[in-house]
mmCIF file of all heavy atoms in Angstrom:
data_model
loop_
_atom_site.group_PDB
_atom_site.id
_atom_site.type_symbol
_atom_site.label_atom_id
_atom_site.label_comp_id
_atom_site.label_asym_id
_atom_site.label_seq_id
_atom_site.Cartn_x
_atom_site.Cartn_y
_atom_site.Cartn_z
ATOM 1 N N ALA A 710 -5.709 -15.087 -1.563
ATOM 2 C CA ALA A 710 -6.834 -15.148 -0.626
ATOM 3 C C ALA A 710 -8.066 -15.633 -1.371
ATOM 4 O O ALA A 710 -8.199 -15.420 -2.585
ATOM 5 C CB ALA A 710 -7.088 -13.778 0.003
ATOM 6 N N GLN A 711 -8.940 -16.271 -0.650
ATOM 7 C CA GLN A 711 -10.209 -16.694 -1.235
ATOM 8 C C GLN A 711 -11.211 -15.536 -1.209
ATOM 9 O O GLN A 711 -11.095 -14.644 -0.364
ATOM 10 C CB GLN A 711 -10.776 -17.872 -0.462
ATOM 11 C CG GLN A 711 -9.963 -19.146 -0.608
ATOM 12 C CD GLN A 711 -10.671 -20.340 0.000
ATOM 13 O OE1 GLN A 711 -11.549 -20.211 0.839
ATOM 14 N NE2 GLN A 711 -10.279 -21.539 -0.445
ATOM 15 N N PRO A 712 -12.170 -15.538 -2.103
ATOM 16 C CA PRO A 712 -13.225 -14.518 -2.021
ATOM 17 C C PRO A 712 -13.867 -14.525 -0.642
ATOM 18 O O PRO A 712 -14.161 -15.591 -0.089
ATOM 19 C CB PRO A 712 -14.209 -14.962 -3.110
ATOM 20 C CG PRO A 712 -13.361 -15.701 -4.091
ATOM 21 C CD PRO A 712 -12.326 -16.409 -3.269
ATOM 22 N N GLY A 713 -14.046 -13.333 -0.096
ATOM 23 C CA GLY A 713 -14.560 -13.202 1.258
ATOM 24 C C GLY A 713 -13.504 -13.212 2.329
ATOM 25 O O GLY A 713 -13.800 -12.948 3.500
ATOM 26 N N GLY A 714 -12.291 -13.513 1.952
ATOM 27 C CA GLY A 714 -11.194 -13.580 2.905
ATOM 28 C C GLY A 714 -10.572 -12.222 3.178
ATOM 29 O O GLY A 714 -11.049 -11.192 2.704
ATOM 30 N N SER A 715 -9.494 -12.252 3.946
ATOM 31 C CA SER A 715 -8.821 -11.019 4.369
ATOM 32 C C SER A 715 -7.316 -11.142 4.178
ATOM 33 O O SER A 715 -6.753 -12.238 4.242
ATOM 34 C CB SER A 715 -9.102 -10.742 5.847
ATOM 35 O OG SER A 715 -10.483 -10.525 6.080
ATOM 36 N N LEU A 716 -6.695 -10.008 3.973
ATOM 37 C CA LEU A 716 -5.245 -9.880 3.964
ATOM 38 C C LEU A 716 -4.896 -8.544 4.597
ATOM 39 O O LEU A 716 -5.676 -7.587 4.523
ATOM 40 C CB LEU A 716 -4.675 -9.915 2.538
ATOM 41 C CG LEU A 716 -4.617 -11.257 1.807
ATOM 42 C CD1 LEU A 716 -4.179 -11.028 0.361
ATOM 43 C CD2 LEU A 716 -3.661 -12.214 2.500
ATOM 44 N N ARG A 717 -3.698 -8.468 5.175
ATOM 45 C CA ARG A 717 -3.206 -7.196 5.685
ATOM 46 C C ARG A 717 -1.865 -6.891 5.042
ATOM 47 O O ARG A 717 -0.927 -7.682 5.160
ATOM 48 C CB ARG A 717 -3.061 -7.203 7.202
ATOM 49 C CG ARG A 717 -2.737 -5.819 7.763
ATOM 50 C CD ARG A 717 -2.654 -5.796 9.271
ATOM 51 N NE ARG A 717 -1.422 -6.385 9.775
ATOM 52 C CZ ARG A 717 -0.957 -6.205 11.008
ATOM 53 N NH1 ARG A 717 -1.639 -5.449 11.863
ATOM 54 N NH2 ARG A 717 0.160 -6.790 11.396
ATOM 55 N N LEU A 718 -1.807 -5.766 4.383
ATOM 56 C CA LEU A 718 -0.559 -5.309 3.782
ATOM 57 C C LEU A 718 0.149 -4.347 4.731
ATOM 58 O O LEU A 718 -0.486 -3.611 5.476
ATOM 59 C CB LEU A 718 -0.829 -4.596 2.454
ATOM 60 C CG LEU A 718 -1.619 -5.376 1.409
ATOM 61 C CD1 LEU A 718 -1.712 -4.566 0.120
ATOM 62 C CD2 LEU A 718 -1.016 -6.741 1.150
ATOM 63 N N THR A 719 1.469 -4.366 4.663
ATOM 64 C CA THR A 719 2.299 -3.517 5.514
ATOM 65 C C THR A 719 3.229 -2.688 4.652
ATOM 66 O O THR A 719 3.801 -3.189 3.681
ATOM 67 C CB THR A 719 3.125 -4.383 6.476
ATOM 68 O OG1 THR A 719 2.243 -5.124 7.322
ATOM 69 C CG2 THR A 719 4.032 -3.529 7.334
ATOM 70 N N CYS A 720 3.377 -1.425 5.021
ATOM 71 C CA CYS A 720 4.319 -0.516 4.361
ATOM 72 C C CYS A 720 5.290 0.005 5.408
ATOM 73 O O CYS A 720 4.866 0.549 6.430
ATOM 74 C CB CYS A 720 3.577 0.633 3.704
ATOM 75 S SG CYS A 720 4.653 1.854 2.921
ATOM 76 N N SER A 721 6.566 -0.163 5.150
ATOM 77 C CA SER A 721 7.586 0.332 6.063
ATOM 78 C C SER A 721 8.711 0.958 5.261
ATOM 79 O O SER A 721 8.767 0.826 4.036
ATOM 80 C CB SER A 721 8.121 -0.802 6.933
ATOM 81 O OG SER A 721 8.680 -1.817 6.124
ATOM 82 N N ALA A 722 9.624 1.649 5.954
ATOM 83 C CA ALA A 722 10.748 2.295 5.287
ATOM 84 C C ALA A 722 11.900 2.404 6.269
ATOM 85 O O ALA A 722 11.788 3.114 7.271
ATOM 86 C CB ALA A 722 10.366 3.672 4.766
ATOM 87 N N SER A 723 12.989 1.746 5.991
ATOM 88 C CA SER A 723 14.150 1.782 6.872
ATOM 89 C C SER A 723 14.851 3.128 6.786
ATOM 90 O O SER A 723 15.074 3.652 5.701
ATOM 91 C CB SER A 723 15.134 0.668 6.493
ATOM 92 O OG SER A 723 14.544 -0.592 6.665
ATOM 93 N N GLY A 724 15.201 3.674 7.956
ATOM 94 C CA GLY A 724 15.988 4.895 7.980
ATOM 95 C C GLY A 724 15.204 6.180 7.803
ATOM 96 O O GLY A 724 15.789 7.264 7.842
ATOM 97 N N PHE A 725 13.879 6.074 7.599
ATOM 98 C CA PHE A 725 13.037 7.250 7.422
ATOM 99 C C PHE A 725 11.767 7.067 8.234
ATOM 100 O O PHE A 725 11.230 5.961 8.312
ATOM 101 C CB PHE A 725 12.648 7.448 5.957
ATOM 102 C CG PHE A 725 13.788 7.792 5.049
ATOM 103 C CD1 PHE A 725 14.528 6.787 4.451
ATOM 104 C CD2 PHE A 725 14.119 9.107 4.797
ATOM 105 C CE1 PHE A 725 15.587 7.091 3.615
ATOM 106 C CE2 PHE A 725 15.169 9.430 3.960
ATOM 107 C CZ PHE A 725 15.914 8.415 3.369
ATOM 108 N N THR A 726 11.304 8.143 8.815
ATOM 109 C CA THR A 726 10.036 8.050 9.513
ATOM 110 C C THR A 726 8.900 8.347 8.543
ATOM 111 O O THR A 726 8.934 9.322 7.797
ATOM 112 C CB THR A 726 9.976 9.006 10.711
ATOM 113 O OG1 THR A 726 8.692 8.889 11.332
ATOM 114 C CG2 THR A 726 10.192 10.453 10.299
ATOM 115 N N LEU A 727 7.908 7.475 8.561
ATOM 116 C CA LEU A 727 6.720 7.676 7.722
ATOM 117 C C LEU A 727 5.651 8.470 8.444
ATOM 118 O O LEU A 727 4.636 8.824 7.846
ATOM 119 C CB LEU A 727 6.150 6.306 7.329
ATOM 120 C CG LEU A 727 7.044 5.382 6.520
ATOM 121 C CD1 LEU A 727 6.334 4.056 6.267
ATOM 122 C CD2 LEU A 727 7.462 6.024 5.214
ATOM 123 N N ASN A 728 5.875 8.746 9.723
ATOM 124 C CA ASN A 728 4.794 9.193 10.597
ATOM 125 C C ASN A 728 4.135 10.503 10.195
ATOM 126 O O ASN A 728 2.997 10.749 10.556
ATOM 127 C CB ASN A 728 5.300 9.295 12.033
ATOM 128 C CG ASN A 728 5.638 7.939 12.604
ATOM 129 O OD1 ASN A 728 5.239 6.911 12.072
ATOM 130 N ND2 ASN A 728 6.396 7.926 13.687
ATOM 131 N N TYR A 729 4.832 11.361 9.472
ATOM 132 C CA TYR A 729 4.273 12.681 9.168
ATOM 133 C C TYR A 729 4.039 12.886 7.680
ATOM 134 O O TYR A 729 3.788 13.989 7.229
ATOM 135 C CB TYR A 729 5.194 13.762 9.750
ATOM 136 C CG TYR A 729 5.436 13.542 11.217
ATOM 137 C CD1 TYR A 729 6.659 13.091 11.681
ATOM 138 C CD2 TYR A 729 4.407 13.731 12.145
ATOM 139 C CE1 TYR A 729 6.865 12.851 13.027
ATOM 140 C CE2 TYR A 729 4.606 13.499 13.492
ATOM 141 C CZ TYR A 729 5.843 13.060 13.927
ATOM 142 O OH TYR A 729 6.046 12.822 15.252
ATOM 143 N N TYR A 730 4.128 11.782 6.924
ATOM 144 C CA TYR A 730 3.871 11.853 5.499
ATOM 145 C C TYR A 730 2.453 11.412 5.180
ATOM 146 O O TYR A 730 1.897 10.527 5.840
ATOM 147 C CB TYR A 730 4.807 10.912 4.738
ATOM 148 C CG TYR A 730 6.237 11.371 4.616
ATOM 149 C CD1 TYR A 730 7.238 10.772 5.379
ATOM 150 C CD2 TYR A 730 6.595 12.366 3.727
ATOM 151 C CE1 TYR A 730 8.559 11.165 5.254
ATOM 152 C CE2 TYR A 730 7.914 12.767 3.592
ATOM 153 C CZ TYR A 730 8.895 12.158 4.348
ATOM 154 O OH TYR A 730 10.197 12.549 4.217
ATOM 155 N N GLY A 731 1.859 12.011 4.133
ATOM 156 C CA GLY A 731 0.657 11.441 3.561
ATOM 157 C C GLY A 731 1.020 10.134 2.866
ATOM 158 O O GLY A 731 1.992 10.082 2.107
ATOM 159 N N ILE A 732 0.268 9.099 3.144
ATOM 160 C CA ILE A 732 0.552 7.765 2.613
ATOM 161 C C ILE A 732 -0.656 7.287 1.815
ATOM 162 O O ILE A 732 -1.810 7.486 2.229
ATOM 163 C CB ILE A 732 0.808 6.757 3.747
ATOM 164 C CG1 ILE A 732 1.912 7.238 4.682
ATOM 165 C CG2 ILE A 732 1.126 5.369 3.174
ATOM 166 C CD1 ILE A 732 3.290 7.222 4.084
ATOM 167 N N GLY A 733 -0.390 6.647 0.712
ATOM 168 C CA GLY A 733 -1.461 6.068 -0.072
ATOM 169 C C GLY A 733 -1.175 4.631 -0.443
ATOM 170 O O GLY A 733 -0.022 4.240 -0.619
ATOM 171 N N TRP A 734 -2.230 3.862 -0.534
ATOM 172 C CA TRP A 734 -2.154 2.530 -1.130
ATOM 173 C C TRP A 734 -2.844 2.589 -2.482
ATOM 174 O O TRP A 734 -3.991 3.021 -2.583
ATOM 175 C CB TRP A 734 -2.832 1.485 -0.247
ATOM 176 C CG TRP A 734 -2.050 1.085 0.954
ATOM 177 C CD1 TRP A 734 -2.184 1.545 2.229
ATOM 178 C CD2 TRP A 734 -0.989 0.119 1.003
ATOM 179 N NE1 TRP A 734 -1.282 0.935 3.068
ATOM 180 C CE2 TRP A 734 -0.538 0.047 2.330
ATOM 181 C CE3 TRP A 734 -0.379 -0.695 0.050
ATOM 182 C CZ2 TRP A 734 0.491 -0.807 2.734
ATOM 183 C CZ3 TRP A 734 0.637 -1.544 0.446
ATOM 184 C CH2 TRP A 734 1.068 -1.590 1.773
ATOM 185 N N PHE A 735 -2.125 2.167 -3.494
ATOM 186 C CA PHE A 735 -2.638 2.121 -4.853
ATOM 187 C C PHE A 735 -2.583 0.686 -5.343
ATOM 188 O O PHE A 735 -1.816 -0.129 -4.834
ATOM 189 C CB PHE A 735 -1.804 3.020 -5.770
ATOM 190 C CG PHE A 735 -2.024 4.489 -5.555
ATOM 191 C CD1 PHE A 735 -1.467 5.130 -4.459
ATOM 192 C CD2 PHE A 735 -2.794 5.226 -6.439
ATOM 193 C CE1 PHE A 735 -1.686 6.486 -4.243
ATOM 194 C CE2 PHE A 735 -3.010 6.589 -6.239
ATOM 195 C CZ PHE A 735 -2.450 7.217 -5.142
ATOM 196 N N ARG A 736 -3.371 0.394 -6.351
ATOM 197 C CA ARG A 736 -3.298 -0.922 -6.969
ATOM 198 C C ARG A 736 -3.366 -0.778 -8.480
ATOM 199 O O ARG A 736 -3.896 0.196 -9.010
ATOM 200 C CB ARG A 736 -4.422 -1.828 -6.464
ATOM 201 C CG ARG A 736 -5.820 -1.418 -6.916
ATOM 202 C CD ARG A 736 -6.860 -2.314 -6.254
ATOM 203 N NE ARG A 736 -8.223 -1.962 -6.650
ATOM 204 C CZ ARG A 736 -9.313 -2.476 -6.097
ATOM 205 N NH1 ARG A 736 -9.210 -3.369 -5.111
ATOM 206 N NH2 ARG A 736 -10.511 -2.109 -6.530
ATOM 207 N N GLN A 737 -2.804 -1.778 -9.138
ATOM 208 C CA GLN A 737 -2.806 -1.776 -10.597
ATOM 209 C C GLN A 737 -2.975 -3.191 -11.097
ATOM 210 O O GLN A 737 -2.141 -4.059 -10.814
ATOM 211 C CB GLN A 737 -1.528 -1.144 -11.160
ATOM 212 C CG GLN A 737 -1.582 -0.911 -12.652
ATOM 213 C CD GLN A 737 -0.472 0.019 -13.121
ATOM 214 O OE1 GLN A 737 0.541 0.195 -12.457
ATOM 215 N NE2 GLN A 737 -0.683 0.635 -14.271
ATOM 216 N N ALA A 738 -4.050 -3.414 -11.819
ATOM 217 C CA ALA A 738 -4.289 -4.703 -12.456
ATOM 218 C C ALA A 738 -3.775 -4.638 -13.885
ATOM 219 O O ALA A 738 -3.637 -3.544 -14.458
ATOM 220 C CB ALA A 738 -5.777 -5.024 -12.429
ATOM 221 N N PRO A 739 -3.481 -5.784 -14.499
ATOM 222 C CA PRO A 739 -2.977 -5.783 -15.886
ATOM 223 C C PRO A 739 -3.920 -5.034 -16.818
ATOM 224 O O PRO A 739 -5.135 -5.257 -16.803
ATOM 225 C CB PRO A 739 -2.922 -7.271 -16.226
ATOM 226 C CG PRO A 739 -2.734 -7.943 -14.918
ATOM 227 C CD PRO A 739 -3.520 -7.139 -13.934
ATOM 228 N N GLY A 740 -3.358 -4.125 -17.594
ATOM 229 C CA GLY A 740 -4.139 -3.367 -18.555
ATOM 230 C C GLY A 740 -4.958 -2.239 -17.969
ATOM 231 O O GLY A 740 -5.701 -1.569 -18.699
ATOM 232 N N GLU A 741 -4.822 -2.024 -16.666
ATOM 233 C CA GLU A 741 -5.604 -0.985 -15.997
ATOM 234 C C GLU A 741 -4.695 0.137 -15.499
ATOM 235 O O GLU A 741 -3.482 -0.044 -15.343
ATOM 236 C CB GLU A 741 -6.366 -1.568 -14.806
ATOM 237 C CG GLU A 741 -7.321 -2.702 -15.156
ATOM 238 C CD GLU A 741 -8.540 -2.225 -15.925
ATOM 239 O OE1 GLU A 741 -8.941 -1.051 -15.725
ATOM 240 O OE2 GLU A 741 -9.080 -3.008 -16.727
ATOM 241 N N GLU A 742 -5.294 1.282 -15.243
ATOM 242 C CA GLU A 742 -4.547 2.385 -14.646
ATOM 243 C C GLU A 742 -4.370 2.142 -13.148
ATOM 244 O O GLU A 742 -5.125 1.400 -12.531
ATOM 245 C CB GLU A 742 -5.293 3.703 -14.870
ATOM 246 C CG GLU A 742 -5.333 4.148 -16.313
ATOM 247 C CD GLU A 742 -5.929 5.537 -16.477
ATOM 248 O OE1 GLU A 742 -6.412 6.108 -15.484
ATOM 249 O OE2 GLU A 742 -5.902 6.047 -17.606
ATOM 250 N N ARG A 743 -3.355 2.791 -12.595
ATOM 251 C CA ARG A 743 -3.115 2.685 -11.161
ATOM 252 C C ARG A 743 -4.229 3.439 -10.420
ATOM 253 O O ARG A 743 -4.545 4.576 -10.750
ATOM 254 C CB ARG A 743 -1.743 3.265 -10.826
ATOM 255 C CG ARG A 743 -1.230 2.884 -9.463
ATOM 256 C CD ARG A 743 0.254 3.151 -9.336
ATOM 257 N NE ARG A 743 1.044 2.248 -10.173
ATOM 258 C CZ ARG A 743 2.360 2.096 -10.064
ATOM 259 N NH1 ARG A 743 3.029 2.795 -9.165
ATOM 260 N NH2 ARG A 743 3.003 1.276 -10.855
#
């Protein structure tokens, strides 16, 4: 994406319902902590 742009990430799981779990999005850059 360009600076100022947008993206949408999706998280899914086959065979399991995510609906009642706490969910987090994490990121990790090279040399950095998650």
Side-chain angles (χ1 to χ4, degrees):
Q711 292 189 339
S715 297
L716 285 173
R717 188 177 76 163
L718 305 184
T719 298
C720 177
S721 59
S723 297
F725 293 88
T726 179
L727 299 178
N728 293 344
Y729 306 107
Y730 286 106
I732 305 290
W734 284 98
F735 287 76
R736 68 185 180 188
Q737 190 166 21
E741 302 289 331
E742 292 187 354
R743 196 164 291 193

